[in-house]
Amino acid sequence: MESLKRVVAILEEEGVVEPVGPLLLFRQPQQLQAELDLSLGDAAKEDELWDCLKKITRHSVKTRHPGFLNQLYGGLDEYGLAGELLASALNTNQYTYEVAPSLTLCEMEVIKRALSLVGFNNGDGIFTPGGSISNMYGLVLARYKKYPEIKEKGIAGMPPFVIYTSQDAHYSMTKGSHWLGIGTDNVIKVKTDQRGRMLPSALEEAIELTLAQGKVPMAVNSTAGTTVLGAFDNFQEIADVCEKYGIWMHIDGCWGGSVVFSKKHSRLLKGIERADSFSWNPHKMLGAPLQCSMILVKEKGLLNAANRAGATYLFQQDKMYDVSFDSGDKSVQCGRKTDALKLWTLWKARGDSGLARAVDDTMHLSRYFLEKIRDRIGFKLVLEEFQCTNICFWYIPMRLRNKTEDQAWWEQVHAVAPKLKEKMVLDGCLMIGYQPLDHKNLRNFFRLVITCRPERDEAFIDSVIENIDRLGRDL
Amino acid sequence: MESLKRVVAILEEEGVVEPVGPLLLFRQPQQLQAELDLSLGDAAKEDELWDCLKKITRHSVKTRHPGFLNQLYGGLDEYGLAGELLASALNTNQYTYEVAPSLTLCEMEVIKRALSLVGFNNGDGIFTPGGSISNMYGLVLARYKKYPEIKEKGIAGMPPFVIYTSQDAHYSMTKGSHWLGIGTDNVIKVKTDQRGRMLPSALEEAIELTLAQGKVPMAVNSTAGTTVLGAFDNFQEIADVCEKYGIWMHIDGCWGGSVVFSKKHSRLLKGIERADSFSWNPHKMLGAPLQCSMILVKEKGLLNAANRAGATYLFQQDKMYDVSFDSGDKSVQCGRKTDALKLWTLWKARGDSGLARAVDDTMHLSRYFLEKIRDRIGFKLVLEEFQCTNICFWYIPMRLRNKTEDQAWWEQVHAVAPKLKEKMVLDGCLMIGYQPLDHKNLRNFFRLVITCRPERDEAFIDSVIENIDRLGRDL
């Protein structure tokens, strides 16, 4: 227990959980390598070890710092972290009730409640190691449901399968389609509207084209909260198309799924109960520790049928308890982390209403940011409309203001983001991600992401705007 | 930080990290559900929450208890747990140097050292969420290396691919082959010898048959430490076959890979440097916290080429640092847990020599157990030879001793294991797994697994034998 207590002391001294000081003490990779003696080989003396762990911590990004607005995670929930530590110390796998009795029941309760929120009333689900793999589960189930014989026979000899996702959807569809043998060329990136929502008419055209080509439409991946613009597809209209053609509908709700708790904002998810599968990462907006991801499935039994291998050394049928409590054969993994406990702890501590409030507050703050920069000199919105807690904007330094917005001007704006990002990082007050969006002809812009974190308020948002201005004005 | 400290207190009070009391307070699932109020909805009062977490802990299996000999993990290393807690609190993803500077360097150091141990001198690797997924990486790379166009085009239209694994190998090959579109029928289970080692001659016959059928041999999965019997394939002979036919050689070293640290036992791994990819789970024998798994690859650049998607919002090329430090595009995942830190901490604390000693001690204790039960009345070895730290045996109660070992007798022995296991669990002193091995016509037998844990000694092993006898004698 001594080691655990020393880590707790480091977390306090370095201000990780209750952040003090800068967000980051940046070092270039080679410089950091020189400063940290990370070499492995001989055993370190106790003091050296702890000194090194302290330095590793000091040169890590404090993702719990309010200024960390860089990714779709951050704002770690303290109860969630407590559950994660407990799960780590219990050090067991989620595959059998035998080795994880209470943790199995925790997973069942969390999945049951999540299914009910999504509206899958007789569904099933498991925790997975992240959203990309949850999305792959959706594709595997789609394929298994249509052609169960593929489990044994494989794809060889079948016609090509086609997956539909939107131009603005997450790249996990691309990576997953390679692994699953579908091929990235068979992932059709359906056109989106200006806000990043999949166009149902374009989806339908794409399906018609597939059919005309003699290929098989396999699954539609719709998105609740796109990675960059935060768009929610129109699930009712997408579901209409999927029903018309009899295609599996998966929803990637990894980012935006958490608004399901909010009475005010859950209208964004209208129609999700018509999907066949749904991915959701509470490690994103809700601040559960990484990794915390679920695949939820409408049809009970399908996860097990698709993934079952019946290993006799794990899933013995002559056990002393009801073996229907063994969840391991629903998974493509063998050992599986007990990720449910952290979400269970967070949820039990906050309650439905606490989580609803957290989502509402976060949506409010993001909208506040958007409204504050809407007419502010030096800021230019990528989208006028509020969609989710990712807010996209360009920052325009003084020298570029009130100029004609021609191609040369945009080239210069494009170059501002990496420079301003560098200034943020070196200053240590802020981290905000940036990217271009080529399919919309958008040059580098910032995407500020707010996740649930009670300590952020309007005054903090005001300070963010001032800091961006302070660092960027003279660039 | 209050929550973390309360968890540390629970871990102390309930004897999780320094185990006291029984291994488990067993409850049947429905009974446990009634005892634990796990229901989610309203926020719990603080006291209720902590009381519930305490009960969850109390009714969890103490996998760090010396009597936990049930799975290929256990014996959690305290330094490893410290690293895990630190990584959890830092709460970031392993995809970019930007958000994980020190942790990126930790991963690089661990991978570099692991590659050197395996003998991949110019290789590459990453951490993955467990051995099944590491093994899938091996298959994906094998396929990509042979037919890179599959990434874009998919498998449809290609001839069937065949994977060779042994009858005794892990079932992840079966599950993985379904996901990857290869199909479980195309996973050939090559015959093994009596000890569970793949027969190179049978492998060669299987390959010839594949070729005669017009299918494509894709990858051979060889095993370092099989799940049940602990067999190490003859890697030199398997490599000869793979070279002869130009087939990718993957080694599943998830379980037995850790003997690489031992001068005395690393001969078991002779020839592994001839493989193309190698999976290794330090969360198994070495006691790193779950999950801690690596895929190691001989050819540098292949992981990135196969998995790369080039998402512009993560892997911007105009960043302020050398972006070759961003490892995320080697992965099929997007967010990826920073699992390297726990292994780095454990390794730095123990050193190569400490880990070698831990492996040697564990091998010694297992062999000690085997020798002690070899001639002991009531115990019957499945294998006479010592292979790894999983020792397989039948327990024969008094009423079945000195009887003719006919089919009826074996039926009764078969029924002993689940009953004796139940007695162990209810007694709380021991957990040892059992299973049949149908392809070897072996009825239910116990598999006792010893993982690295300094607190276990010969006297403890003696007490295990006495406990088995005490609980089983009159069954």
Side-chain angles (χ1 to χ4, degrees):
Chain A
M1 296 296 298
E2 205 39 55
S3 302
L4 273 190
K5 288 176 185 168
R6 291 192 77 152
V7 173
V8 171
I10 290 181
L11 296 177
E12 279 192 312
E13 289 157 21
E14 297 296 322
V16 171
V17 181
E18 286 155 19
V20 289
L23 175 50
L24 168 66
L25 283 171
F26 181 78
R27 296 285 185 275
Q28 291 292 344
Q30 287 83 356
Q31 190 189 350
L32 188 56
Q33 266 174 326
E35 283 185 38
L36 302 174
D37 175 19
L38 296 179
S39 64
L40 295 170
D42 294 336
K45 297 199 184 76
E46 276 284 312
D47 282 358
E48 286 167 15
L49 174 72
W50 293 104
D51 185 55
C52 201
L53 285 170
K54 213 173 151 113
K55 280 191 195 148
I56 286 172
T57 306
R58 185 164 302 162
H59 290 293
S60 288
V61 176
K62 287 178 187 155
T63 64
R64 203 167 191 275
H65 190 291
F68 184 77
L69 305 161
N70 201 68
Q71 311 284 158
L72 302 178
Y73 64 90
L76 178 62
D77 184 278
E78 208 187 325
Y79 290 102
L81 179 57
E84 170 77 339
L85 169 57
L86 187 52
S88 298
L90 291 172
N91 197 46
T92 198
N93 271 320
Q94 193 67 276
Y95 40 46
T96 62
Y97 180 86
E98 176 176 332
V99 295
S102 344
L103 301 178
T104 296
L105 301 183
C106 285
E107 184 176 54
M108 286 172 60
E109 175 66 15
V110 174
I111 293 288
K112 189 181 86 180
R113 294 282 312 179
L115 287 168
S116 145
L117 285 171
V118 168
F120 291 171
N121 295 322
N122 188 32
D124 201 355
I126 51 169
F127 278 78
T128 84
S132 295
I133 292 178
S134 289
N135 287 338
M136 283 167 80
Y137 269 97
L139 297 183
V140 167
L141 292 173
R143 192 175 68 183
Y144 179 79
K145 178 71 181 171
K146 197 169 177 81
Y147 299 110
E149 66 272 25
I150 280 181
K151 182 173 178 179
E152 284 85 32
K153 303 291 172 203
I155 299 182
M158 304 288 290
F161 301 138
V162 177
I163 308 293
Y164 309 86
T165 188
S166 86
Q167 294 178 309
D168 284 69
H170 189 258
Y171 71 92
S172 49
M173 282 293 134
T174 305
K175 291 205 172 191
S177 71
H178 167 213
W179 273 49
L180 304 180
I182 291 164
T184 58
D185 286 354
N186 294 314
V187 179
I188 307 298
K189 306 268 173 68
V190 178
K191 207 167 175 314
T192 53
D193 67 12
Q194 170 253 358
R195 288 169 60 170
R197 296 172 299 191
M198 188 192 279
L199 290 168
S201 56
L203 171 61
E204 200 161 347
E205 279 166 31
I207 294 169
E208 289 290 350
L209 182 63
T210 300
L211 293 171
Q213 291 170 334
K215 298 181 178 181
V216 177
M218 180 56 72
V220 172
N221 173 57
S222 191
T223 307
T226 57
T227 310
V228 177
L229 299 176
F232 288 76
D233 288 342
N234 185 324
F235 303 114
Q236 298 285 22
E237 293 182 15
I238 304 286
D240 288 343
V241 177
C242 289
E243 274 173 21
K244 176 173 170 187
Y245 292 94
I247 306 177
W248 183 278
M249 177 175 172
H250 175 74
I251 296 179
D252 176 351
C254 290
W255 168 234
S258 293
V259 304
V260 77
F261 283 106
S262 161
K263 289 211 167 44
K264 199 165 163 187
H265 299 287
S266 58
R267 59 173 171 71
L268 290 165
L269 299 174
K270 213 174 154 193
I272 56 172
E273 73 287 351
R274 295 177 65 188
D276 297 290
S277 54
F278 190 93
S279 303
W280 178 24
N281 289 6
H283 71 221
K284 290 191 156 78
M285 196 181 289
L286 290 187
L290 292 158
Q291 58 192 46
C292 188
S293 177
M294 281 174 268
I295 176 73
L296 303 169
V297 187
K298 183 181 267 166
E299 182 179 330
K300 202 172 186 133
L302 203 60
L303 268 174
N304 191 284
N307 291 309
R308 177 184 164 71
T312 51
Y313 69 92
L314 266 182
F315 307 114
Q316 304 93 326
Q317 299 301 301
D318 50 8
K319 282 181 181 174
M320 64 187 285
Y321 60 84
D322 175 358
V323 294
S324 72
F325 282 82
D326 289 350
S327 65
D329 237 3
K330 294 185 199 173
S331 171
V332 71
Q333 299 183 270
C334 175
R336 189 160 63 87
K337 258 198 117 235
T338 54
D339 289 324
L341 182 61
K342 55 188 144 188
L343 181 57
W344 183 88
T345 308
L346 185 164
W347 199 334
K348 187 82 172 173
R350 308 287 180 197
D352 290 349
S353 59
L355 294 174
R357 205 160 45 239
V359 170
D360 287 344
D361 289 351
T362 309
M363 293 290 266
H364 167 78
L365 275 187
S366 316
R367 189 189 283 268
Y368 177 83
F369 176 76
L370 180 130
E371 293 307 331
K372 289 289 272 194
I373 66 169
R374 187 186 294 279
D375 300 314
R376 175 147 176 157
I377 291 164
F379 290 79
K380 184 176 172 69
L381 285 172
V382 173
L383 283 182
E384 296 292 321
E385 302 87 353
F386 175 73
Q387 305 204 103
C388 193
T389 73
N390 19 357
I391 307 293
C392 295
F393 64 93
W394 290 278
Y395 183 77
I396 316 294
M398 289 209 289
R399 67 181 166 90
L400 294 174
R401 294 175 192 169
N402 303 313
K403 297 276 159 66
T404 310
E405 299 183 4
D406 55 13
Q407 206 186 328
W409 186 85
W410 276 110
E411 282 309 316
Q412 296 199 58
V413 170
H414 181 72
V416 165
K419 286 217 187 66
L420 179 47
K421 173 69 175 270
E422 180 171 357
K423 289 198 80 172
M424 289 177 189
V425 165
L426 296 177
D427 183 88
C429 64
L430 272 184
M431 279 179 78
I432 306 175
Y434 71 86
Q435 64 286 302
L437 208 56
D438 294 338
H439 68 269
K440 294 225 173 320
N441 279 319
L442 300 173
R443 310 309 307 269
N444 274 338
F445 57 90
F446 283 104
R447 175 198 63 167
L448 174 141
V449 183
I450 308 188
T451 54
C452 293
R453 179 118 200 285
E455 296 88 334
R456 291 192 187 113
D457 57 14
E458 294 183 0
F460 167 74
I461 296 293
D462 292 341
S463 78
V464 168
I465 296 169
E466 294 308 325
N467 275 321
I468 296 171
D469 234 357
R470 171 176 63 86
L471 297 167
R473 194 180 301 138
D474 299 321
L475 274 180
Chain B
M1 295 297 297
E2 206 40 55
S3 302
L4 273 190
K5 288 177 186 168
R6 291 192 79 152
V7 173
V8 171
I10 289 180
L11 295 177
E12 279 191 313
E13 289 158 19
E14 297 295 322
V16 171
V17 180
E18 287 154 17
V20 289
L23 175 50
L24 168 65
L25 284 170
F26 181 78
R27 295 286 186 274
Q28 291 292 345
Q30 287 82 355
Q31 191 189 350
L32 188 56
Q33 266 173 327
E35 284 186 36
L36 303 173
D37 175 20
L38 296 178
S39 64
L40 295 169
D42 294 336
K45 298 200 184 75
E46 276 285 311
D47 283 357
E48 285 167 14
L49 174 71
W50 293 104
D51 185 55
C52 202
L53 285 170
K54 212 171 152 115
K55 280 192 196 147
I56 286 172
T57 306
R58 185 164 301 162
H59 290 293
S60 288
V61 177
K62 287 178 186 154
T63 63
R64 204 167 191 275
H65 189 292
F68 184 76
L69 305 161
N70 200 69
Q71 311 284 159
L72 302 178
Y73 65 89
L76 178 62
D77 183 278
E78 206 187 325
Y79 290 101
L81 179 57
E84 171 77 341
L85 169 57
L86 188 52
S88 298
L90 291 173
N91 196 46
T92 197
N93 272 320
Q94 194 66 278
Y95 40 47
T96 62
Y97 181 86
E98 176 175 330
V99 294
S102 342
L103 301 178
T104 295
L105 300 183
C106 286
E107 183 176 55
M108 287 173 61
E109 175 65 16
V110 174
I111 292 288
K112 188 181 86 182
R113 294 281 311 178
L115 287 168
S116 145
L117 286 171
V118 168
F120 291 171
N121 296 320
N122 189 32
D124 201 355
I126 50 168
F127 278 78
T128 84
S132 295
I133 292 177
S134 289
N135 287 337
M136 284 167 80
Y137 269 97
L139 298 183
V140 167
L141 292 173
R143 192 175 68 183
Y144 179 79
K145 178 70 182 173
K146 198 170 177 83
Y147 298 111
E149 66 273 24
I150 281 181
K151 181 172 179 179
E152 284 84 32
K153 303 291 172 202
I155 299 182
M158 304 289 290
F161 301 139
V162 176
I163 309 292
Y164 309 86
T165 188
S166 87
Q167 293 178 311
D168 285 69
H170 189 258
Y171 71 92
S172 48
M173 282 292 136
T174 306
K175 292 204 171 191
S177 71
H178 167 213
W179 273 48
L180 304 181
I182 291 163
T184 59
D185 286 353
N186 294 315
V187 178
I188 306 297
K189 307 268 173 71
V190 179
K191 206 168 175 316
T192 53
D193 67 12
Q194 170 253 358
R195 288 168 60 170
R197 296 172 299 190
M198 187 192 280
L199 290 168
S201 57
L203 171 61
E204 201 161 346
E205 280 166 31
I207 294 169
E208 289 290 350
L209 182 63
T210 300
L211 293 170
Q213 290 170 334
K215 297 181 177 180
V216 178
M218 180 56 72
V220 172
N221 173 56
S222 192
T223 309
T226 58
T227 311
V228 177
L229 298 176
F232 289 76
D233 288 342
N234 186 323
F235 303 114
Q236 297 285 22
E237 294 182 15
I238 305 286
D240 288 343
V241 177
C242 289
E243 275 174 21
K244 176 174 169 186
Y245 292 94
I247 305 177
W248 183 278
M249 178 174 171
H250 175 74
I251 296 178
D252 176 352
C254 289
W255 169 232
S258 293
V259 304
V260 77
F261 283 106
S262 161
K263 288 209 167 45
K264 199 165 162 188
H265 298 287
S266 58
R267 58 174 173 71
L268 291 165
L269 299 175
K270 215 175 152 191
I272 56 171
E273 72 286 352
R274 294 176 66 190
D276 297 291
S277 54
F278 191 93
S279 303
W280 178 21
N281 290 7
H283 70 222
K284 291 192 155 79
M285 196 180 289
L286 290 188
L290 292 157
Q291 60 193 41
C292 187
S293 177
M294 281 175 267
I295 176 73
L296 302 170
V297 188
K298 183 181 267 165
E299 183 179 329
K300 204 174 184 131
L302 204 59
L303 268 173
N304 191 284
N307 292 308
R308 178 183 163 70
T312 52
Y313 69 93
L314 265 181
F315 307 115
Q316 305 92 326
Q317 299 301 300
D318 50 7
K319 282 181 182 175
M320 65 188 285
Y321 59 84
D322 174 357
V323 294
S324 71
F325 283 81
D326 289 350
S327 66
D329 236 3
K330 295 184 198 173
S331 172
V332 71
Q333 299 183 269
C334 175
R336 188 159 63 87
K337 258 197 118 238
T338 55
D339 289 324
L341 182 59
K342 55 187 143 187
L343 181 57
W344 182 88
T345 307
L346 184 164
W347 199 335
K348 188 81 173 176
R350 309 288 181 195
D352 291 348
S353 58
L355 294 174
R357 206 161 45 242
V359 169
D360 287 344
D361 289 351
T362 309
M363 293 291 265
H364 167 77
L365 275 186
S366 317
R367 189 189 283 269
Y368 176 82
F369 176 76
L370 180 133
E371 294 307 332
K372 289 290 272 195
I373 66 169
R374 187 187 294 280
D375 301 314
R376 176 147 177 158
I377 292 165
F379 290 79
K380 186 177 170 69
L381 285 171
V382 172
L383 283 183
E384 297 291 321
E385 302 87 354
F386 175 74
Q387 306 204 108
C388 193
T389 73
N390 18 357
I391 307 292
C392 296
F393 64 93
W394 290 278
Y395 182 78
I396 316 293
M398 290 210 289
R399 67 181 165 90
L400 294 174
R401 295 176 192 169
N402 303 313
K403 298 276 159 68
T404 311
E405 300 183 3
D406 56 12
Q407 207 187 327
W409 185 86
W410 276 110
E411 282 309 316
Q412 296 198 57
V413 169
H414 181 72
V416 166
K419 287 218 186 63
L420 179 47
K421 173 69 175 271
E422 179 170 356
K423 289 199 80 172
M424 289 176 190
V425 165
L426 297 176
D427 183 88
C429 65
L430 272 184
M431 279 179 77
I432 306 175
Y434 72 87
Q435 64 287 302
L437 210 54
D438 295 337
H439 68 270
K440 294 225 174 319
N441 278 317
L442 299 173
R443 310 308 308 268
N444 274 338
F445 57 89
F446 283 103
R447 176 198 62 167
L448 174 142
V449 183
I450 308 188
T451 54
C452 292
R453 178 115 201 285
E455 296 89 335
R456 291 191 187 113
D457 58 14
E458 293 183 0
F460 166 74
I461 297 293
D462 292 340
S463 77
V464 168
I465 297 171
E466 294 308 325
N467 275 321
I468 296 171
D469 235 358
R470 171 175 64 85
L471 297 168
R473 195 180 300 137
D474 300 321
L475 274 181

